[in-house]
Amino acid sequence: MYFSKSLIPILKNNPSEAKIKSHQLMLRTGMIKQSSAGIYSWLPLGFKVMKKIEQIVREEQDRIGAQEILMPTIQSSEIWKESGRYEDYGEEMLRIKDRQNRELLYGPTNEELITEIFRSSIKSYKSLPQLMYHIQWKFRDELRPRFGVMRCREFYMKDAYSFDLTDEDAQHSYNKFFLSYLKTFKRLDLSAIPMAADTGPIGGNLSHEFVIIADTGESKVYTDRRIFDVNNDEVALDKKSLMDLRKEYNKYYAVTDEKFNQNEFDINVTSENKLETKGIEVGHIFYFGDKYSKPMNASVDFNGSKEFVKMGSYGVGVSRLVGAIIEAKYDEKNEIMKWPLAISPFHCAILPQINKNDKTNLEKALNIHEHLKSKNIDTIIDDTDESISSKMKKFNLIGVPFQIIIGKKSEDDLVEFKEIGKDATKTKIEEIYKIIINKL
Ligand code: 5CA
């Protein structure tokens, strides 16, 4: 792919309306473009990153046996009236009327719709548990949309739902998602801490937010520092039973603002382990029993009696994660974005110095590009006539992990090769292929 032919509208300076790093960088590198307040178009660079995140989220849902479906963005008000949330949800819900004057809404979440699907499809306890998820746009008419993709009105979310016969089975499903979230965030190279949280408009009395510590976060959190050691313990993730894993986390105080209690904090955490800070909520899981199944009459037959199913719901902010990863990984001092390799917009950038009358560098770049493409390495050639140093600056800002520089100093099969954030070294092209393939 040629940079000159791609839709990557880079801005010279940080846009003044953006207050936090991720918002600035996403606008500056042309990842997104605002369409109206809290609503964005995703341009190729941003869209690629989001799709890669989405795929990792999807794989980890599939791994625990959740079934992927796709529900619509537009829902009927009827089911929301059944659950009682049509009034409760208030002004955050975007309400629409069709030409027959029927009340519709743009879904802010999907508990009602999935319950409706469940009750009309599943009749026997023998079909439980049922775990379903979808990845779909949501709309919440936030009072103050801000910080770019962090608090939008339209945003992309993975939401999953579990249906079980008993409370105990439902807790097991909750724990499966708990573990699956830890694995998902680990693959994204993030340390997201599960914190006891308020359930808000979703309801229920058990809930965890998964929070990345960051100054620019909107959630205030209070925790025992030792919980970070649990999060970094790979063995715990792989070996512990689900219940043991939950217990491991439960040993340490970690709560969001609404659950905070100074007395409990003082009793449970020594002063050197206390951490009061801010974070970004990238996921949120809920257990709410029969809050929806009872009013909506979603039950199964169990040995002749009718049992309302026990439900939970599990969200990941897929579009928010793009911004959250920037907040966590951006190197402010050197203006370098360090995407984890698995989700970087390109694996490799080839930066040839373009001379008017001599096509040698460009041809060399093309040959390398063809070879990398044949190995499924996602590569872009910057064929513009900018100087090498400005090309390098640009690709540091975008955050492409490997860069091949074909400048004056390049001889036949020797070019400058650098990994982002490190110095360039003269390297044989064959050697470069090996290094990149090894790291992927
Ligand atoms: N139905 C439940 C779980 S599926 C639910 O909607 N949970 S939620 O309200 O907590 O949202 C899930 C995740 O979506 C949040 O953890 C957050 O990462 C993301 N999210 C929520 N609101 C916004 C918003 N306005 N902009 C961007 N992302 C958001």
Side-chain angles (χ1 to χ4, degrees):
M1 179 188 217
Y2 286 117
F3 188 82
S4 67
K5 303 284 184 293
S6 56
L7 181 67
I8 307 180
I10 305 257
L11 306 175
K12 274 221 155 53
N13 298 306
N14 283 333
S16 57
E17 74 266 30
K19 299 281 177 282
I20 64 170
K21 201 72 247 166
S22 57
H23 191 193
Q24 290 167 358
L25 200 71
M26 288 181 80
L27 291 173
R28 178 142 176 222
T29 59
M31 293 177 80
I32 51 169
K33 183 164 184 343
Q34 184 168 327
S35 135
S36 56
I39 303 180
Y40 291 87
S41 296
W42 288 76
L43 305 189
L45 211 59
F47 194 49
K48 280 181 86 172
V49 173
M50 186 163 75
K51 286 274 155 191
K52 289 183 182 183
I53 294 173
E54 175 186 352
Q55 186 54 25
I56 289 176
V57 171
R58 173 177 287 116
E59 284 168 15
E60 293 302 322
Q61 294 294 288
D62 292 344
R63 205 196 287 271
I64 57 166
Q67 309 161 80
E68 185 166 13
I69 61 172
L70 184 59
M71 290 177 271
T73 53
I74 304 291
Q75 303 180 22
S76 156
S77 65
E78 297 298 318
I79 46 177
W80 287 73
K81 285 179 182 161
E82 283 187 50
S83 73
R85 277 208 299 182
Y86 193 56
E87 296 307 323
D88 293 353
Y89 222 93
E91 295 200 304
E92 251 188 35
M93 182 188 276
L94 181 66
R95 295 154 205 259
I96 313 161
K97 280 204 173 134
D98 70 8
R99 62 170 79 194
Q100 261 92 32
N101 222 21
R102 276 188 293 245
E103 290 171 326
L104 301 172
L105 57 103
Y106 194 123
T109 174
N110 283 56
E111 280 78 9
E112 283 77 2
L113 193 50
I114 194 81
T115 305
E116 204 286 313
I117 293 171
F118 177 91
R119 73 179 172 192
S120 56
S121 325
I122 301 290
K123 302 291 173 208
S124 163
Y125 78 96
K126 289 185 186 147
S127 305
L128 300 181
Q130 285 285 326
L131 312 181
M132 287 86 107
Y133 74 99
H134 78 156
I135 307 176
Q136 177 62 291
W137 293 97
K138 305 287 183 295
F139 193 94
R140 293 181 188 171
D141 203 353
E142 299 273 352
L143 191 58
R144 269 181 230 95
R146 58 189 182 143
F147 300 157
V149 301
M150 298 294 225
R151 183 159 298 279
C152 294
R153 295 199 298 160
E154 190 181 44
F155 58 97
Y156 202 44
M157 189 208 283
K158 185 285 297 177
D159 38 326
Y161 302 86
S162 65
F163 298 83
D164 282 279
L165 182 64
T166 64
D167 263 323
E168 203 186 351
D169 294 347
Q171 292 276 345
H172 184 69
S173 291
Y174 186 92
N175 290 342
K176 268 169 99 168
F177 280 97
F178 189 99
L179 175 64
S180 153
Y181 275 31
L182 292 172
K183 290 191 169 168
T184 304
F185 296 126
K186 204 142 253 168
R187 279 184 70 184
L188 295 170
D189 204 18
L190 290 174
S191 183
I193 309 288
M195 309 218 173
D198 196 31
T199 55
I202 307 294
N205 49 24
L206 170 64
S207 151
H208 285 90
E209 277 183 19
F210 287 75
V211 177
I212 302 170
I213 303 303
D215 292 341
T216 47
E218 291 191 274
S219 310
K220 195 135 203 287
V221 294
Y222 301 81
T223 135
D224 186 323
R225 288 175 199 280
R226 288 173 296 174
I227 202 162
F228 291 90
D229 300 334
V230 183
N231 235 43
N232 290 331
D233 184 358
E234 301 279 344
V235 182
L237 272 193
D238 285 336
K239 297 270 165 58
K240 293 233 160 32
S241 77
L242 287 175
M243 217 44 215
D244 286 349
L245 182 74
R246 279 289 306 288
K247 280 187 193 144
E248 200 69 28
Y249 277 93
N250 278 346
K251 277 190 205 157
Y252 302 111
Y253 193 82
V255 303
T256 62
D257 215 1
E258 303 92 349
K259 287 270 171 193
F260 179 64
N261 176 307
Q262 187 69 52
N263 216 7
E264 284 174 11
F265 198 37
D266 292 343
I267 293 169
N268 289 302
V269 191
T270 59
S271 50
E272 72 271 18
N273 284 328
K274 273 185 182 153
L275 179 67
E276 290 185 36
T277 184
K278 283 197 278 184
I280 303 167
E281 175 202 330
V282 286
H284 199 162
I285 61 178
F286 303 82
Y287 176 58
F288 40 74
D290 60 9
K291 174 178 173 186
Y292 299 88
S293 56
K294 208 169 176 181
M296 293 186 67
N297 201 15
S299 61
V300 287
D301 177 57
F302 180 61
N303 297 338
S305 78
K306 185 174 128 170
E307 295 286 335
F308 294 117
V309 282
K310 309 291 185 298
M311 293 173 57
S313 75
Y314 315 88
V316 170
V318 177
S319 51
R320 178 181 284 183
L321 267 169
V322 181
I325 291 169
I326 295 175
E327 293 297 327
K329 302 287 173 201
Y330 188 70
D331 170 356
E332 179 111 45
K333 194 163 134 245
N334 300 305
E335 294 205 314
I336 293 176
M337 177 55 212
K338 288 192 170 159
W339 293 107
L341 198 52
I343 58 162
S344 64
F346 297 99
H347 297 131
C348 182
I350 308 173
L351 315 179
Q353 182 171 338
I354 303 294
N355 309 313
K356 253 197 187 137
N357 304 315
D358 179 5
K359 293 261 178 287
T360 327
N361 285 353
L362 188 59
E363 276 162 15
K364 206 185 254 182
L366 268 175
N367 280 336
I368 298 173
H369 182 254
E370 280 309 308
H371 186 83
L372 291 174
K373 214 165 79 181
S374 75
K375 303 279 179 217
N376 280 331
I377 295 163
D378 195 1
T379 306
I380 184 163
I381 301 179
D382 190 345
D383 58 331
T384 61
D385 51 15
E386 289 169 41
S387 69
I388 288 284
S389 70
S390 93
K391 288 182 184 183
M392 281 165 64
K393 238 176 139 178
K394 184 165 70 187
F395 281 93
N396 279 342
L397 198 66
I398 292 175
V400 178
F402 298 110
Q403 299 169 14
I404 298 171
I405 298 137
I406 309 175
K408 280 200 200 95
K409 286 188 240 158
S410 303
E411 299 144 31
D412 294 334
D413 65 341
L414 265 184
V415 290
E416 301 275 314
F417 175 64
K418 84 191 211 48
E419 289 184 42
I420 198 158
K422 296 187 184 161
D423 291 335
T425 52
K426 268 195 172 184
T427 313
K428 285 200 160 166
I429 292 172
E430 285 302 323
E431 192 56 30
I432 295 174
Y433 296 154
K434 276 192 211 147
I435 295 172
I436 300 181
I437 290 165
N438 254 332
K439 293 252 170 140
L440 282 183

